[in-house]
Amino acid sequence: MALKIVKGSIDRMFDKNLQDLVRGIRNHKEDEAKYISTCIDEIKQELKQDNIAVKSNAVCKLTYLQMLGYDVSWAAFNIVEVMSSSKFTYKRIGYLAASQCFHESTDVIMLTTNQIRKDLSSPNQYDTGVALTGLSCFVTPDLARDLANDIMTLMSHTKPYIRKKAVLIMYKVFLKYPESLRPAFPRMKEKLEDPDPGVQSAAVNVICELARRNPKNYLSLAPLFFKLMTSSTNNWVLIKIIKLFGALTPLEPRLGKKLIEPLTNLIHSTSAMSLLYECVNTVIAVLISLSSGMPNHSASIQLCVQKLRILIEDSDQNLKYLGLLAMSKILKTHPKSVQSHKDLILQCLDDKDESIRLRALDLLYGMVSKKNLMEIVKKLMLHVDKAEGTTYRDELLTKIIDICSQSNYQYITNFEWYISILVELTRLEGTRHGHLIASQMLDVAIRVKAIRAFAVAQMATLLDNAHLLTGNTQHSGICEVLYAAAWICGEFSEHLEDPMATLEAMLRPKVATLPGHIQAVYVQNAAKLFSTVLCGQEGAPADSKVAQETSQLLIDRLPVFVQSDNLEVQERASCILQLVKYIQKLQQKDVEVAEEVTALFAGELNPVAPKAQKKVPVPEGLDLDAWINEPPSGSESEDEGRKTKGKAVFAREESRHTKPRYTEVDEKELAMRREVRKAEQANNPFYIKASPSSQKVYQEAVGVEHIPVVQIDLSVPLKVPGMPMSDQYVKLEEERREKNKADRKKKDKKKRREKGRQRRGDSGPESEEDITPAHMVDIVTEEMPENALPSDDDDKDPNDPHKALNIDLDKPLADSEKKLPVRTHRPDEVLKSPIEDAEGLEVTSEPKKKSGKEKDKERKKGKEKKKKKHKQEEGEDLMEAGSEEPVQSKVTNDVAAQPPASTPEEAAAVTDAPPASTPDAASGVAAVVPDSEPEETKSSKHKKKKQKKEKDKKKKHHHHHHSDGAREESVQNGTVEDEEPLPPMSNYAMLAENSYIKMVCDIQGNLHDGSQVVVSVIFENKCDSFIKSMEFNVMDSLNSKLQRPEGAGPHDSLTVPFHLPPGISSEARFIFSVQSIVMPQKLKGTLTFIVKTEDSSTHEKLDFKLHFTCTSYLITTPCYSDAYAKLLESGDLKGSSLKLEGINQPFHHLLARICFHHHFSVVERIDSCASMYSRSIQGHHVCLLVKTADQTVSIDAKCDEPGLLRNVLDEIKLTFSQC
Amino acid sequence: MIKAILIFNNHGKPRLIRFYEYFAEDVQQQIIRETFHLVSKRDDNVCNFLEGGSLIGGSDYKLIYRHYATLYFVFCVDSSESELGILDLIQVFVETLDKCFENVCELDLIFHMDKVHFILQEVVMGGMVLETNMNEIVGQVELQNRMEKSEGGFSAAPARAVSAVKNINLPEMPRNINIGDINIKVPSLSPF
């Protein structure tokens, strides 16, 4: 015993490493599970130790055990610990383990954000690489959002090794966080031309993946890819690009025409089979998209088919397979050129390789015609007999049915032949596809009226021989055909030769062993047969005995079904039994009942299209979601929902309300009600749930797949007596065709003789039309409701993650999009501990600074000219960084002292890019942009602009924190040399002030929501006391309302979510909903607060007036001159103008002021004339043409909303009258 | 996109599994079993493509595999990947293993699963092909191994020395296991 303990402790000290573990497992083959469980116990001990080496060794072993199928998610936290080791050796193991077993619902992933960010910015490229690799496997939407910026920065890393990984992982980020696609795309595009081939290949890879799902957004990249295709020598890249073109050509046929030539060249020149194959594939795609109108069209097709034939004939099975695969694509548009290779494809059916046989089958599907259908199917039937293994045979079976039934039985000339094929197929042992055959039988019998008599006869034989089908395996899938047989015999019983015999067959005791749903059909159709028998007999009154015997038969046999444990069978049987008993009574009284009984089953059943129900248009004025009666009030979940929402009002409301507020409420409510209703319905046994078609229900209910397949072991092939062989039909058909041909020839001769013309007889192969169907077939079309909608787009998967990536990438980036939305705290995080919050804040602000600096570096390379400016900027950067710190720490203090805060830093980051413009920004934009400017410059310009914006924003901050003097200097530093500096400007306008507190506010429209305005208010504590319990309230007007938390009354005030220590200022945001933005508006409001000194506290209040100017509804939106010109040309805009006298400030100041105060952007500037543009939150375009001459400024303005324009102009006038 | 990479031996024992989409452990094992079942019954002279199994993928996915001596290398990919390209990629991967392990054999994969993972990570990342140039891959792997060595490697862990001592007492040393000819033969490169 003691020895055991000693040994145990030694074992713990002397840990196993991975190799020992593997060795151990191999040495314990007999009791592997037991050995592993002791190993897991050891690992658990090791994980408890502090030594990181021991821990990572343990994690490494866990990774191995995970491979063997052991769940190791319990060690997730330890994995995170190992990931955060400073040593690469351990970190790598940690990330490996994480990538193997973390997934979206692993909760510790939340803890990794900062660690990953640290690793991403590590000076060691392999730390970064390992983190990227790991992240690519377990990135979650949260991680993607939080790290998108960091990864974007890495895309421009100096090391290609990091760049290529960063580029690749962006695809995962896009998938999880689609908002990042637009801002990141310009850089992704740049990477297509990266000097490093690996990075280039990665970028091609990512864009190809993106384009595959949403090709139309990537059409504009086609020229770039075209260039790459003709220049690149990397086969991997070429293959990807060629594949991408294959996806793009269907959208743009012109592209296809351009592609044909280089692709053909590649086909001729390349020695790499993989490249050749992809070229052929894309040429096929091009040809499909062109479909016609190319002169050398057939040459290309010939080339493709010829190359593919070489592939198919190759001894390499892989090439053979791919050749067939590509051939099937050609088949869709150019069946003729493939059909000539029928021999080759039929030959492939005999291949030993199943994959190849399946491909060949696919091809056959498209190759059939009226002429060769019977021949091909005959060949397939032979294969069915030979086939080993049920999967391949089942595949053959479905293919035969697919081939025959395709495009509404287009190629079938003889339905008797088809029915006999179907009957032959029922002899397959143990097939899973009984229901498929059954539905074909039903479909043909219902829709082809001429065939009914024949079908009924066949089905009657089937029913008679049912024992052969079911054998002793009652659950065999094939018994499904009995369902069809019984129904057909019953429904079309008038065609039965001997209904009595069939009735007898259907009521055999053996039937009771069939699955319930089939029995139900049997019982019901027995009743139909019964009525037919009565009908037939009563014509001859002498034979009323037979009728009575029939009744007696039913009365004798039905009780078996009445005792069935299947509810449906039981119910039907007992109904019919009682009915028959009653009829028997009447019969005994010699009453004629036949007519009444037949009336039970009168009328014809027509086939209904499977989508018919869906296509019924909702009649006008019918609201299916409206309540007929109000629902019972007081559903608890609703109230709870409101309570939890209540706190969130300050945090991040605006991004979640993408629709006008009032409708949102309605929708939420409706959704909730719908849920409740669904739940109720689900629990209500009497509610019939919607189902698209009865057929479907039956399939689902049965779940044929779940029926175990048991093979009948019969060495002698089954021959059902009395059944015709389909082969006979082939022969007959041939004879018939011969005869037809002969007849026709005769007729032709006659005609010729009659007309006396000399025409040569058509002795060539018969054309399709020449084959006349054996029966006059009337294929009944499926019924659709009247005025059904023709749309067919209901087959798309709503859960496809790529749907979210369907984003227009050609649209220039709006200001707010130029950078990735910075992480902001979600509402639920408000409750987090203040320290954590502060940490998060510090971390987020870091990369921002960094990226700014990096961009500086980039630019330095580019333009020597601006060197001076750079220095200044860099200096400024430093200054800013320096001066920012105190602010930040202040904020941190703030938050640390009072928990739930939306701090100014954060708020400003969230607010949509504030319109701001310093002179150099203005001049940068004002440089005339020629239309043909290449896109690269545009994007770099974007970047520059973006940088400016960022900086301006920062500046703005400083304005309101340390107002005035000191900052003015640095602003001057940033301006261009040749133009005068601009006086400092701030968007924040004084709201109200008293001796305790000062409020300044900025009003911004919400870009994402046309009915929202965000008011950011900075509260500054001016006194020496503590200010707390601030409550903010505004008297709503009809047009503008303060958004209050759900459940609050319309007059309730909002609590400002922080307290103010002396000398501190902080910012809160309030969201207002507005309806009309045409008129400016003033709202009265009050702020109440408690001033707390050491010994006392007083209630104070401060009144203010919020002024919503029309300007505040405008959002700075960049506009290119060509788009601008188009807009003006469109003629939708109404004009107005304004003259300002006595303006003696420089023109660029003037522009900057308009930009800054009125949210415009400069489109073009030529000397003393400039065009400007802005857009309202509700999408009105506002265009200005500003001209200056001799202290007079004239502004010509156009807008599609004259009222708005008038007010904006008035406000501009006011701005300039004030200065 | 590559959805999964599986390496297992002729008996279906997994040697490396790498899923680029989450599956629970039991499902993973089921997929391995199913894939093994599909792949193992195929002759060596039939084509290397298989329309995906029912568990993984669906109609858009294919299994592309190669069989080397005792090991199957199976990639499950969707239609955005070139079939022949992936076959070449498997070849590149195996050749890289051969270089890194010097005549790789199944035992290397058995005892150094972690290292195989690290090599794979330089070839495929998050389901997308990262690098196809073998020299580049080998170079990066070696640099990382050198870094690990400079940190003292795993041998820095005290356990390592001890386990060596422990081994002396073990009657069955792994090198005594007779495994016959399991060296992976690397055929000559196809022109790609």
Side-chain angles (χ1 to χ4, degrees):
Chain A
M1 184 67 193
L3 200 71
K4 238 186 191 172
I5 293 167
V6 171
K7 193 174 177 290
S9 64
I10 287 176
D11 267 356
R12 199 170 304 157
M13 255 172 64
F14 302 167
D15 301 320
K16 291 190 187 78
N17 62 14
L18 175 62
Q19 282 75 25
D20 299 327
L21 175 76
V22 176
R23 225 168 271 150
I25 294 175
R26 286 165 71 88
N27 289 336
H28 290 79
K29 287 237 165 72
E30 339 58 68
D31 52 350
E32 195 182 289
K34 199 176 142 214
Y35 178 76
I36 289 179
S37 77
T38 57
C39 285
I40 288 181
D41 288 341
E42 281 169 27
I43 289 170
K44 281 184 179 159
Q45 292 301 319
E46 286 166 34
L47 287 174
K48 280 184 192 147
Q49 293 183 33
D50 283 334
N51 186 340
I52 194 73
V54 175
K55 257 186 203 162
S56 70
N57 183 37
V59 165
C60 187
K61 289 192 278 184
L62 281 178
T63 315
Y64 184 82
L65 293 178
Q66 195 270 345
M67 178 177 81
L68 298 184
Y70 290 85
D71 176 24
V72 298
S73 54
W74 50 269
F77 186 76
N78 303 104
I79 292 174
V80 174
E81 282 180 310
V82 176
M83 276 162 74
S84 55
S85 157
S86 58
K87 276 198 173 181
F88 172 73
T89 316
Y90 306 140
K91 190 186 288 299
R92 182 152 83 149
I93 288 165
Y95 272 104
L96 173 63
S99 70
Q100 289 290 72
C101 62
F102 281 13
H103 52 94
E104 281 206 7
S105 46
T106 305
D107 41 9
V108 291
I109 280 194
M110 286 190 311
L111 307 176
T112 59
T113 316
N114 282 337
Q115 177 58 40
I116 295 173
R117 181 176 283 130
K118 213 176 102 196
D119 289 335
L120 289 182
S121 56
S122 158
N124 179 345
Q125 62 162 329
Y126 291 114
D127 282 351
T128 315
V130 146
L132 284 171
T133 309
L135 188 61
S136 72
C137 294
F138 57 80
V139 60
T140 63
D142 280 351
L143 280 177
R145 194 195 53 233
D146 294 344
L147 296 172
N149 252 324
D150 305 65
I151 299 170
M152 260 201 21
T153 322
L154 289 178
M155 281 167 76
S156 320
H157 199 270
T158 50
K159 296 256 170 50
Y161 179 75
I162 298 302
R163 284 210 300 278
K164 71 183 178 194
K165 288 197 167 190
V167 167
L168 270 193
I169 202 179
M170 277 317 277
Y171 177 65
K172 297 273 170 161
V173 174
F174 295 151
L175 278 185
K176 300 287 177 190
Y177 179 49
E179 288 88 338
S180 62
L181 179 57
R182 266 172 65 76
F185 196 70
R187 194 172 293 186
M188 183 62 74
K189 218 163 79 181
E190 272 170 40
K191 295 296 143 201
L192 284 177
E193 299 185 292
D194 196 278
D196 183 85
V199 182
Q200 199 185 38
S201 158
V204 169
N205 212 334
V206 170
I207 292 183
C208 288
E209 276 300 329
L210 289 169
R212 201 164 72 95
R213 312 294 181 138
N214 300 298
K216 70 172 188 307
N217 300 332
Y218 299 86
L219 267 179
S220 60
L221 290 179
L224 188 59
F225 276 114
F226 195 81
K227 205 177 96 194
L228 278 177
M229 183 176 81
T230 42
S231 62
S232 176
T233 52
N234 180 342
N235 279 348
W236 274 98
V237 172
L238 280 176
I239 288 177
K240 282 280 170 194
I241 293 176
I242 287 167
K243 268 188 169 282
L244 171 68
F245 277 133
L248 292 182
T249 41
L251 302 169
E252 180 55 273
R254 280 177 299 172
L255 175 66
K257 280 182 193 165
K258 277 203 160 182
L259 281 172
I260 289 273
E261 202 205 321
L263 286 179
T264 329
N265 291 343
L266 267 176
I267 291 177
H268 283 302
S269 65
T270 184
S271 62
M273 274 299 180
S274 44
L275 186 57
L276 172 93
Y277 172 68
E278 294 305 336
C279 286
V280 169
N281 251 335
T282 300
V283 170
I284 294 169
V286 169
L287 292 175
I288 290 172
S289 73
L290 292 175
S291 70
S292 66
M294 277 277 288
N296 55 350
H297 187 95
S298 58
S300 309
I301 277 283
Q302 277 316 311
L303 177 72
C304 287
V305 175
Q306 178 203 333
K307 286 278 173 191
L308 289 180
R309 184 164 181 124
I310 294 173
L311 289 185
I312 296 173
E313 283 172 338
D314 198 293
S315 61
D316 184 344
Q317 296 282 328
N318 290 333
L319 298 182
K320 189 173 276 204
Y321 173 86
L322 293 175
L324 289 170
L325 196 65
M327 205 62 120
S328 63
K329 284 179 195 153
I330 302 188
L331 188 73
K332 278 172 205 140
T333 47
H334 302 83
K336 287 252 163 64
S337 36
V338 180
Q339 268 162 17
S340 55
H341 300 281
K342 199 178 78 190
D343 56 316
L344 189 65
I345 288 151
L346 282 175
Q347 208 178 306
C348 289
L349 273 185
D350 298 323
D351 200 287
K352 58 188 175 306
D353 188 344
E354 190 177 309
S355 307
I356 287 179
R357 288 197 305 253
L358 289 177
R359 285 281 127 230
L361 270 181
D362 268 354
L363 270 173
L364 281 182
Y365 175 82
M367 284 172 63
V368 292
S369 63
K370 281 185 180 169
K371 205 169 61 187
N372 62 16
L373 175 73
M374 282 184 168
E375 182 199 336
I376 288 179
V377 171
K378 186 182 165 194
K379 189 139 199 237
L380 290 179
M381 291 298 283
L382 281 179
H383 278 282
V384 171
D385 286 341
K386 280 193 292 181
E388 302 149 6
T390 42
T391 31
Y392 179 58
R393 208 179 44 195
D394 280 354
E395 185 65 26
L396 271 171
L397 188 152
T398 43
K399 266 285 132 50
I400 291 175
I401 289 178
D402 278 357
I403 286 175
C404 293
S405 64
Q406 66 177 306
S407 34
N408 215 3
Y409 307 105
Q410 190 191 346
Y411 301 114
I412 294 184
T413 50
N414 188 336
F415 277 94
E416 283 187 13
W417 164 81
Y418 186 45
I419 292 277
S420 49
I421 286 283
L422 288 176
V423 172
E424 268 177 55
L425 287 176
T426 62
R427 279 177 240 157
L428 279 184
E429 302 142 20
T431 178
R432 293 188 292 124
H433 292 297
H435 67 97
L436 188 63
I437 303 175
S439 67
Q440 281 293 298
M441 287 174 169
L442 285 171
D443 200 38
V444 172
I446 293 168
R447 294 174 60 196
V448 186
K449 282 184 180 157
I451 201 69
R452 281 182 192 163
F454 179 80
V456 167
Q458 292 295 310
M459 295 304 126
T461 346
L462 255 184
L463 284 179
D464 199 32
N465 297 307
H467 59 283
L468 290 177
L469 290 180
T470 50
N472 36 14
T473 57
Q474 49 166 319
H475 288 303
S476 162
I478 202 67
C479 63
E480 290 293 320
V481 296
L482 294 176
Y483 175 101
W487 190 87
I488 292 171
C489 286
E491 186 64 25
F492 307 120
S493 50
E494 67 269 21
H495 298 292
L496 269 178
E497 270 175 23
D498 187 0
M500 190 61 195
T502 311
L503 182 61
E504 199 274 332
M506 281 170 68
L507 292 173
R508 282 179 199 150
K510 194 106 204 269
V511 171
T513 60
L514 289 171
H517 67 282
I518 298 180
Q519 286 185 52
V521 172
Y522 264 66
V523 170
Q524 184 76 6
N525 285 287
K528 289 185 198 166
L529 279 179
F530 174 61
S531 81
T532 319
V533 173
L534 287 187
C535 256
Q537 296 308 326
E538 278 184 359
D543 246 352
S544 68
K545 212 178 120 202
V546 181
Q548 287 187 16
E549 272 172 18
T550 321
S551 312
Q552 194 53 47
L553 178 75
L554 281 167
I555 291 168
D556 289 345
R557 300 278 177 88
L558 278 176
V560 182
F561 298 103
V562 175
Q563 288 158 12
S564 167
D565 53 0
N566 184 304
L567 191 67
E568 184 76 15
V569 179
Q570 200 187 81
E571 192 176 358
R572 289 190 192 204
S574 56
C575 266
I576 290 166
L577 184 62
Q578 289 313 312
L579 187 73
V580 175
K581 277 184 181 163
Y582 180 66
I583 290 170
Q584 197 185 32
K585 258 187 221 161
L586 291 177
Q587 279 175 333
Q588 279 159 0
K589 290 177 196 159
D590 273 344
V591 184
E592 294 246 324
V593 284
E595 215 169 296
E596 273 115 357
V597 177
T598 339
L600 284 175
F601 306 106
E604 199 173 337
L605 289 174
N606 288 331
V608 175
K611 282 179 188 165
Q613 176 77 50
K614 238 195 257 177
K615 301 279 164 114
V616 181
V618 178
E620 244 176 87
L622 173 63
D623 181 3
L624 290 172
D625 293 323
W627 281 100
I628 299 170
N629 296 314
E630 274 306 305
S633 64
S635 89
E636 276 176 277
S637 60
E638 208 169 290
D639 285 348
E640 266 172 44
R642 277 184 182 158
K643 266 180 223 154
T644 48
K645 286 263 165 58
K647 287 179 182 163
V649 90
F650 291 105
R652 250 188 76 79
E653 282 287 76
E654 108 269 40
S655 67
R656 287 193 284 127
H657 302 299
T658 43
K659 281 191 185 148
R661 186 74 177 144
Y662 45 95
T663 56
E664 161 110 11
V665 170
D666 282 356
E667 269 176 18
K668 244 189 236 160
E669 198 121 355
L670 276 178
M672 210 158 348
R673 284 175 194 170
R674 237 175 264 145
E675 281 308 306
V676 172
R677 186 146 38 94
K678 266 189 204 148
E680 261 170 31
Q681 286 168 359
N683 295 331
N684 185 351
F686 301 109
Y687 185 83
I688 302 166
K689 286 168 199 86
S691 62
S693 75
S694 60
Q695 182 73 28
K696 213 171 178 184
V697 172
Y698 133 65
Q699 282 177 9
E700 279 167 5
V702 184
V704 190
E705 284 84 348
H706 302 305
I707 300 173
V709 177
V710 185
Q711 298 214 356
I712 313 170
D713 197 11
L714 282 176
S715 46
V716 192
L718 287 166
K719 275 260 159 63
V720 181
M723 286 191 180
M725 290 294 290
S726 56
D727 289 1
Q728 294 172 327
Y729 281 94
V730 180
K731 226 181 198 172
L732 283 174
E733 180 73 13
E734 267 161 23
E735 280 166 18
R736 194 178 63 83
R737 281 185 197 172
E738 280 302 311
K739 212 176 124 210
N740 274 357
K741 222 197 272 177
D743 282 354
R744 225 175 298 126
K745 264 185 194 162
K746 256 186 233 161
K747 267 185 210 160
D748 275 358
K749 266 184 203 162
K750 243 188 224 167
K751 262 189 210 160
R752 245 179 287 160
R753 236 178 280 153
E754 277 166 14
K755 290 184 182 170
R757 269 194 204 160
Q758 292 199 334
R759 236 173 53 189
R760 289 180 59 206
D762 184 16
S763 55
E766 4 176 18
S767 63
E768 292 275 288
E769 292 74 21
D770 282 341
I771 302 170
T772 46
H775 306 275
M776 276 318 289
V777 190
D778 163 36
I779 301 181
V780 186
T781 48
E782 292 164 322
E783 282 191 346
M784 280 294 238
E786 285 171 48
N787 48 27
L789 307 167
S791 73
D792 236 339
D793 51 333
D794 32 23
D795 300 326
K796 283 184 185 159
D797 178 14
N799 296 326
D800 186 4
H802 295 90
K803 245 184 159 180
L805 287 181
N806 191 355
I807 295 168
D808 184 4
L809 294 162
D810 297 329
K811 218 166 59 188
L813 292 176
D815 270 12
S816 57
E817 290 178 314
K818 281 187 191 158
K819 64 185 232 180
L820 281 172
V822 182
R823 175 180 178 181
T824 55
H825 297 273
R826 277 149 287 155
D828 51 344
E829 279 184 3
V830 170
L831 298 174
K832 259 193 183 170
S833 85
I835 298 140
E836 242 179 56
D837 243 12
E839 269 171 9
L841 220 125
E842 264 171 353
V843 178
T844 35
S845 61
E846 235 172 285
K848 245 197 287 173
K849 269 187 269 168
K850 202 182 153 200
S851 72
K853 267 182 210 162
E854 222 158 76
K855 262 178 223 142
D856 262 358
K857 270 186 217 158
E858 264 170 47
R859 274 201 285 159
K860 217 185 235 168
K861 279 181 212 158
K863 290 179 184 171
E864 288 286 298
K865 244 185 174 179
K866 291 189 179 170
K867 228 179 183 172
K868 189 177 163 195
K869 196 176 134 201
H870 277 301
K871 264 188 205 156
Q872 284 168 340
E873 273 179 355
E874 245 171 339
E876 188 189 301
D877 252 339
L878 287 176
M879 266 181 70
E880 276 185 358
S883 59
E884 204 159 48
E885 244 149 46
V887 180
Q888 218 175 24
S889 57
K890 215 195 275 175
V891 171
T892 324
N893 285 341
D894 233 355
V895 183
Q898 286 86 28
S902 101
T903 64
E905 281 296 307
E906 198 187 318
V910 174
T911 320
D912 294 318
S917 173
T918 53
D920 60 342
S923 64
V925 186
V928 184
V929 187
D931 283 356
S932 61
E933 195 183 30
E935 276 172 299
E936 291 82 24
T937 22
K938 266 188 195 169
S939 71
S940 72
K941 209 174 68 187
H942 272 204
K943 236 189 286 164
K944 224 193 290 176
K945 248 161 99 187
K946 166 183 161 187
Q947 203 191 1
K948 284 278 137 60
K949 288 278 147 63
E950 262 175 47
K951 215 178 292 153
D952 285 337
K953 207 189 289 170
K954 279 187 196 160
K955 270 176 215 157
K956 226 160 28 95
H957 266 329
H958 296 297
H959 274 311
H960 36 85
H961 288 303
H962 334 253
S963 42
D964 336 314
R967 293 305 301 169
E968 205 170 316
E969 230 175 73
S970 73
V971 172
Q972 275 175 2
N973 279 343
T975 56
V976 189
E977 308 90 76
D978 56 356
E979 281 183 329
E980 268 180 65
L982 192 74
M985 297 188 286
S986 169
N987 257 352
Y988 282 75
M990 175 63 78
L991 193 59
E993 189 178 6
N994 63 13
S995 54
Y996 299 103
I997 196 164
K998 181 175 149 186
M999 294 162 71
V1000 290
C1001 79
D1002 174 33
I1003 305 174
Q1004 296 277 345
N1006 182 348
L1007 182 68
H1008 303 294
D1009 189 331
S1011 66
Q1012 279 191 4
V1013 172
V1014 181
V1015 177
S1016 314
V1017 183
I1018 297 176
F1019 300 90
E1020 189 186 344
N1021 187 347
K1022 289 169 66 188
C1023 62
D1024 302 326
S1025 325
F1026 204 89
I1027 294 181
K1028 61 175 212 175
S1029 303
M1030 288 187 282
E1031 294 202 332
F1032 180 92
N1033 199 5
V1034 168
M1035 297 258 287
D1036 288 349
S1037 74
L1038 274 179
N1039 191 35
S1040 316
K1041 291 186 173 63
L1042 174 60
Q1043 285 196 356
R1044 297 176 168 85
E1046 279 174 56
H1051 305 295
D1052 290 358
S1053 52
L1054 293 181
T1055 310
V1056 179
F1058 46 77
H1059 308 250
L1060 287 179
I1064 293 294
S1065 62
S1066 197
E1067 182 171 15
R1069 290 186 313 135
F1070 303 91
I1071 294 165
F1072 287 79
S1073 57
V1074 290
Q1075 283 178 357
S1076 162
I1077 60 163
V1078 175
M1079 297 287 287
Q1081 191 149 26
K1082 278 185 181 157
L1083 292 184
K1084 272 187 191 167
T1086 320
L1087 181 80
T1088 57
F1089 51 89
I1090 296 174
V1091 181
K1092 193 169 188 237
T1093 51
E1094 273 173 18
D1095 41 17
S1096 69
S1097 62
T1098 52
H1099 257 280
E1100 295 291 343
K1101 95 177 201 194
L1102 176 60
D1103 290 334
F1104 56 85
K1105 257 185 199 171
L1106 261 178
H1107 190 187
F1108 289 103
T1109 57
C1110 281
T1111 294
S1112 50
Y1113 303 129
L1114 296 182
I1115 289 176
T1116 318
T1117 317
C1119 182
Y1120 288 107
S1121 51
D1122 42 356
Y1124 188 78
K1126 241 178 235 162
L1127 190 64
L1128 288 179
E1129 272 166 24
S1130 70
D1132 299 332
L1133 309 183
K1134 295 180 183 63
S1136 184
S1137 63
L1138 172 72
K1139 256 203 169 84
L1140 302 168
E1141 304 274 347
I1143 303 286
N1144 49 4
Q1145 46 182 307
F1147 189 51
H1148 72 274
H1149 280 194
L1150 184 105
L1151 291 184
R1153 263 180 211 287
I1154 299 178
C1155 284
F1156 188 76
H1157 291 295
H1158 297 286
H1159 309 184
F1160 278 84
S1161 65
V1162 178
V1163 180
E1164 258 183 316
R1165 177 185 162 188
I1166 305 167
D1167 299 326
S1168 57
C1169 181
S1171 50
M1172 306 178 88
Y1173 175 77
S1174 183
R1175 213 173 66 177
S1176 79
I1177 51 173
Q1178 293 181 358
H1180 305 293
H1181 304 282
V1182 188
C1183 305
L1184 299 184
L1185 182 67
V1186 186
K1187 283 183 253 178
T1188 180
D1190 304 323
Q1191 303 202 345
T1192 313
V1193 176
S1194 68
I1195 301 178
D1196 286 310
K1198 284 194 168 176
C1199 173
D1200 39 10
E1201 174 54 62
L1204 177 71
L1205 184 63
R1206 217 169 25 248
N1207 289 315
V1208 169
L1209 287 181
D1210 286 346
E1211 283 161 27
I1212 292 178
K1213 197 172 174 182
L1214 191 72
T1215 309
F1216 286 98
S1217 65
Q1218 281 168 352
C1219 59
Chain B
M1 289 277 284
I2 300 169
K3 198 166 184 178
I5 296 174
L6 310 174
I7 305 177
F8 43 75
N9 71 359
N10 286 347
H11 305 290
K13 282 240 184 259
R15 293 302 175 218
L16 177 134
I17 56 171
R18 172 75 274 188
F19 286 89
Y20 294 104
E21 190 173 290
Y22 173 69
F23 291 100
E25 274 76 11
D26 50 340
V27 184
Q28 290 185 356
Q29 295 299 314
Q30 219 173 321
I31 291 172
I32 297 170
R33 274 197 300 274
E34 193 198 29
T35 314
F36 170 70
H37 184 70
L38 283 173
V39 168
S40 61
K41 64 176 183 209
R42 292 172 65 86
D43 286 342
D44 272 350
N45 55 359
V46 300
C47 77
N48 298 83
F49 315 119
L50 257 175
E51 251 104 308
S54 55
L55 276 174
I56 190 163
S59 61
D60 196 35
Y61 284 85
K62 273 200 189 78
L63 298 176
I64 299 177
Y65 72 96
R66 269 182 188 270
H67 188 200
Y68 294 97
T70 58
L71 290 175
Y72 284 97
F73 289 72
V74 186
F75 280 47
C76 175
V77 304
D78 70 7
S79 61
S80 74
E81 301 294 341
S82 149
E83 291 88 349
L84 295 172
I86 293 292
L87 274 182
D88 285 342
L89 185 74
I90 300 178
Q91 183 71 28
V92 167
F93 179 47
V94 173
E95 281 182 46
T96 312
L97 289 178
D98 197 49
K99 274 204 174 173
C100 294
F101 285 107
E102 287 163 20
N103 279 330
V104 68
C105 68
E106 193 186 341
L107 275 190
D108 292 316
L109 273 77
I110 295 172
F111 285 104
H112 303 283
M113 181 207 70
D114 48 346
K115 299 215 169 58
V116 181
H117 265 295
F118 297 143
I119 295 167
L120 181 62
Q121 283 177 357
E122 298 302 321
V123 184
V124 179
M125 181 176 134
M128 287 188 284
V129 179
L130 180 69
E131 185 59 68
T132 52
N133 180 343
M134 192 171 35
N135 294 332
E136 171 77 15
I137 301 167
V138 174
Q140 296 294 354
V141 170
E142 270 171 7
L143 279 172
Q144 290 180 55
N145 288 344
R146 212 170 295 159
M147 210 171 118
E148 188 174 307
K149 255 183 212 147
S150 73
E151 282 180 354
F154 238 174
S155 54
R160 180 63 183 197
V162 178
S163 79
V165 175
K166 231 174 14 174
N167 279 342
I168 297 172
N169 301 327
L170 279 173
E172 336 89 324
M173 289 282 283
R175 302 187 207 325
N176 298 338
I177 300 169
N178 189 9
I179 23 90
D181 176 27
I182 51 162
N183 278 351
I184 293 173
K185 270 180 262 139
V186 178
S188 61
L189 253 183
S190 56
F192 179 74

